[in-house]
Amino acid sequence: MAATWAKAPDFADQPARRAAVQAQTVVDKRRYLEEGLTPLRCQACRSEVMVRKSSSHQTSVQWTEPPETHCPVFAELAASGGRPGRPDTCPQLEKTIKWAVDEGVIDVPK
C-alpha cells in the first residue's frame, strides 16, 4: 500500500476547538521563538544575536539582522557564493557565547 500524506485537521467544523488550537499555537510560538532569549553582542564584530541555552550541549541563536551584514565570517561565505547559515555559527560568536555562559550572562538549565 502506498503511503499517503494527510494535512493536519483544520477543525473548520469545530470553531471552539479551532480557536483553542490557534491560541495554543501563539503560546507555543512565543515559548520556542522568544522566551528565554538573551541579547548578546559578538565580542569580535559586535553583531547582535539572541541566544538561549536549553542544555549544556544545545544552543539556539537568532540573528537580529542578516548575519552577512555584520559578521565577517558570514560575509565571506556570502561573497564566495556560500549560503549564510550553513555553519552553525562563527568561531568568534561561539567564543562569545561560551564567555557569556561562563560569566553567568546566559543561564544553562541543569
Side-chain angles (χ1 to χ4, degrees), residues 20-78:
V21 169
Q22 289 173 335
Q24 187 60 50
T25 300
V26 169
V27 170
D28 291 344
K29 185 176 180 181
R30 184 173 35 250
R31 177 178 175 211
Y32 291 111
L33 298 179
E34 299 171 10
E35 287 181 7
L37 291 168
T38 301
L40 187 66
R41 286 201 181 273
C42 177
Q43 294 172 330
C45 70
R46 307 301 295 158
S47 294
E48 185 177 29
V49 296
M50 303 295 288
V51 179
R52 174 180 50 234
K53 293 288 290 177
S54 297
S55 72
S56 61
H57 297 285
Q58 193 281 330
T59 304
S60 297
V61 175
Q62 290 188 7
W63 289 81
T64 59
E65 297 183 43
E68 67 273 13
T69 61
H70 293 287
C71 176
V73 171
F74 285 97
E76 184 177 325
L77 284 171

